């Protein structure tokens, strides 16, 4: 019995790859493959050979490990509180309590410690990428304005958004004509499978060389202006469900599918005209004293005293006190949550009960509300986000390639 247990442990702890000064063990690969299979449909699982999925998942582990090594060298850590908060958000997005979410994991044969480790690694990777890449990505006001001008010229700011899938059959740098021909032939074979009804995600997972292959090649939603210029002319002519021909580029042959299309949305927000009186807490003024003082001021207002006059005489928010406590028109999210929540419950001209925020105690009055079309402001914010994402994606891809090229990597899958 001891011998068989030892052999089993040796198998589980077998080194399957060396990545610089670290090693990857068989049990790490097994756990990631198990998690990967849980996200795949039966059809996708059937389309993959065991060796293919092992190689693809191992490559992803290696890229992650290279980034985690940087985190370890840099002393970057993720606290248990951060991990737990992330898991709560995941559970909430799936409309599950934590207990029910853990039960779902158990049903899928995923242990909570393993899932927590996976979440911890994902947070670390995002933080490393942010530290080493994102902070170098700058988008100027001129770039945003030029981008918006381009959208207006093309009327693209009114364009629809496209949900795309992407498959890449890669060719090596300085590929020979024979290598290019082989890649093109493979792309043509995949096109035949897709047009015969094979699911795009299945083909992507089993055949694509793109970095998001294991996610089914899903590129998410994007406007024409967000797309790589190589793909845009094809997408413009496609209908929902269409599959493009193979598209050649220096990196290989691309196949895209248009999953779905949706139109633009207007962004309407409610602005609130509000004023307040603030009493701060200090060594001489307790919470009870501040609240009592504001209740007294509220009674005076109810008896006919002017809110603005009382604000000028009593409010410790010196910026607004000189204007009678007037904060002017504010948009959602502009004020601290406790203040905004209380404000939103008040009718126009109503003076609320004293409420507490991190700044002290407030007496709030709402003077008016109006709807505002924030579509253009949102477009500007989205334009900046799109430009940042485009630059960041390219920078991350180049950084990861460089990271891998400079690392010592030894595969031992077949040992």
């Amino acid at each position: 019995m001891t011998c068989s247990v030892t052999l089993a442990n040796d198998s589980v702890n077998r080194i399957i790859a060396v990545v610089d000064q670290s090693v990857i063990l068989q049990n790490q690969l097994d756990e990631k493959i198990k998690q990967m299979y849980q996200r795949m449909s039966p059809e996708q699982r059937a389309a993959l050979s065991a060796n293919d999925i092992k190689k693809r998942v191992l490559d992803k582990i290696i890229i992650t490990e290279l980034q985690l090594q940087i985190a370890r060298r840099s002393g970057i850590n993720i606290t248990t509180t951060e991990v737990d908060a992330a898991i709560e958000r995941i559970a909430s997005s799936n409309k599950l309590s934590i207990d029910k979410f853990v039960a779902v994991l158990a049903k899928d044969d995923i242990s909570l410690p393993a899932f927590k480790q996976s979440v911890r690694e994902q947070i670390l990777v995002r933080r490393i990428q942010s530290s080493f890449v994102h902070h170098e990505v700058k988008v100027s006001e001129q770039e945003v304005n030029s981008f918006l001008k381009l959208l207006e010229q093309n009327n693209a700011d009114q364009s629809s958004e496209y949900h795309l899938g992407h498959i890449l059959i890669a060719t090596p740098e300085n590929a020979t004509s024979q290598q290019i021909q082989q890649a093109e032939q493979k792309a043509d074979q995949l096109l035949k499978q897709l047009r015969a009804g094979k699911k795009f995600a299945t083909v992507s997972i089993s055949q694509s060389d793109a970095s998001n292959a294991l996610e089914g090649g899903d590129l998410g939603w994007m406007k024409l202006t967000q797309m790589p210029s190589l793909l845009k002319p094809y997408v413009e002519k496609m209908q929902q469900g269409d599959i493009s021909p193979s598209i050649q580029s220096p990196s290989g042959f691309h196949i895209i599918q248009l999953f779905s299309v949706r139109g633009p949305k207007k962004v309407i927000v409610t602005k609130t005209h509000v004023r307040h009186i603030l009493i701060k807490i200090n060594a001489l003024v307790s919470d009870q004293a501040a609240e009592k003082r504001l209740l007294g001021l509220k009674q005076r207002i109810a008896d006919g005293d002017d809110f603005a006059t009382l604000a000028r005489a009593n409010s410790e928010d010196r910026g607004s006190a000189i204007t009678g406590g007037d904060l002017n028109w504010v948009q959602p999210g502009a004020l601290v949550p406790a203040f905004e929540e209380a404000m939103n419950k008040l009718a126009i001209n109503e003076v609320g009960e004293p409420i507490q925020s991190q700044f002290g105690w407030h007496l709030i009055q709402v003077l008016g509300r109006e709807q505002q079309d924030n579509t253009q402001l949102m477009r500007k914010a989205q334009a900046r986000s799109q430009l940042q994402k485009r630059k960041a994606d390219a920078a991350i891809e180049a950084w990861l390639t460089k990271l891998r090229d400079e690392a010592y990597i030894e595969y031992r899958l077949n040992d």
Side-chain angles (χ1 to χ4, degrees), residues 4-290:
S4 63
V5 170
T6 302
L7 289 174
N9 287 337
D10 287 345
S11 176
V12 166
N13 295 319
R14 183 171 67 89
I15 295 173
I16 54 169
V18 178
V19 184
D20 282 338
Q21 301 301 313
S22 298
V23 297
I24 296 170
L25 303 179
Q26 182 68 53
N27 63 344
Q28 293 174 270
L29 177 61
D30 292 343
E31 184 63 36
K32 294 295 184 184
I33 289 175
K34 182 170 67 175
Q35 292 176 18
M36 182 66 205
Y37 271 117
Q38 297 298 336
R39 299 195 297 269
M40 293 164 59
S41 68
E43 181 184 352
Q44 291 168 352
R45 294 175 194 170
L48 293 168
S49 69
N51 287 336
D52 187 49
I53 191 66
K54 279 182 184 178
K55 180 67 167 60
R56 286 171 176 273
V57 174
L58 181 55
D59 283 340
K60 193 161 187 175
I61 294 173
I62 288 170
I63 286 293
T64 300
E65 173 58 28
L66 289 170
Q67 294 171 87
L68 294 178
Q69 287 178 11
I70 294 174
R72 289 193 286 269
R73 290 196 297 269
S74 305
I76 299 174
N77 294 303
I78 305 299
T79 65
T80 301
T81 302
E82 289 176 282
V83 174
D84 290 342
I87 292 174
E88 284 181 16
R89 288 193 296 273
I90 295 170
S92 177
S93 68
N94 286 280
K95 298 180 180 178
L96 294 171
S97 67
I98 286 294
D99 289 342
K100 287 183 178 178
F101 184 70
V102 171
V104 169
L105 290 178
K107 185 178 178 182
D108 289 338
D109 196 27
I110 298 173
S111 69
L112 184 59
F115 187 76
K116 284 187 173 184
Q117 181 60 27
S118 178
V119 170
R120 187 185 301 276
E121 289 178 359
Q122 290 173 36
I123 298 172
L124 267 174
V125 165
R126 285 197 297 269
R127 195 159 295 177
I128 285 296
Q129 290 180 353
S130 178
S131 299
F132 282 78
V133 180
H134 284 240
H135 76 283
E136 297 179 358
V137 176
K138 308 295 183 186
V139 176
S140 68
E141 195 69 20
Q142 182 179 352
E143 285 179 293
V144 172
N145 291 333
S146 297
F147 185 62
L148 287 172
K149 187 176 180 181
L150 178 64
L151 294 181
E152 290 168 5
Q153 288 172 350
N154 297 331
N155 199 32
D157 58 333
Q158 299 295 330
S159 69
S160 297
E161 289 183 303
Y162 302 83
H163 185 193
L164 297 176
H166 172 241
I167 289 171
L168 169 65
I169 304 305
T171 52
E173 192 175 354
N174 302 318
T176 64
S177 57
Q178 183 179 3
Q179 289 172 320
I180 293 172
Q181 185 179 12
Q182 288 173 344
E184 185 175 19
Q185 288 173 350
K186 182 176 179 181
D188 289 341
Q189 289 171 359
L190 298 184
L191 270 173
K192 289 179 182 177
Q193 294 177 24
L194 291 168
R195 287 172 178 160
K198 196 163 187 179
K199 287 188 178 179
F200 195 92
T202 301
V203 176
S204 171
I205 290 171
S206 61
Q207 301 294 336
S208 179
D209 297 315
S211 59
N212 67 339
L214 292 179
E215 286 73 49
D218 195 334
L219 292 178
W221 290 94
M222 59 179 70
K223 291 187 177 181
L224 288 171
T225 48
Q226 296 173 264
M227 296 176 194
S229 56
L230 176 74
L231 306 183
K232 180 180 173 181
Y234 294 89
V235 175
E236 285 178 313
K237 300 174 184 176
M238 294 170 71
Q239 300 296 318
Q240 185 168 315
D242 282 355
I243 299 168
S244 73
S246 63
I247 307 166
Q248 186 175 7
S249 79
S251 60
F253 290 85
H254 308 259
I255 301 170
I256 53 174
Q257 181 170 22
L258 177 55
F259 295 143
S260 190
V261 183
R262 68 186 180 192
K265 296 179 182 177
K266 278 196 169 186
V267 180
I268 306 296
V269 300
T270 300
K271 294 197 305 180
T272 304
H273 188 189
V274 64
R275 60 185 177 183
H276 78 137
I277 297 171
L278 171 68
I279 304 299
K280 295 181 179 179
I281 305 305
N282 54 46
L284 300 177
V285 180
S286 66
D287 284 322
Q288 293 80 5

Side-chain angles (χ1 to χ4, degrees), residues 284-332:
L284 300 177
V285 180
S286 66
D287 284 322
Q288 293 80 5
E291 184 180 15
K292 183 177 179 181
R293 184 175 168 190
L294 287 178
L295 285 170
L297 293 175
K298 181 182 180 183
Q299 185 59 50
R300 288 178 62 182
I301 294 167
D303 292 340
D305 282 8
D306 179 56
F307 189 106
T309 301
L310 293 177
R312 279 190 283 269
N314 293 277
S315 181
E316 295 180 60
D317 176 5
R318 296 308 172 193
S320 69
I322 57 174
T323 59
D326 198 343
L327 296 174
N328 215 321
W329 290 91
V330 296
Q331 301 212 28

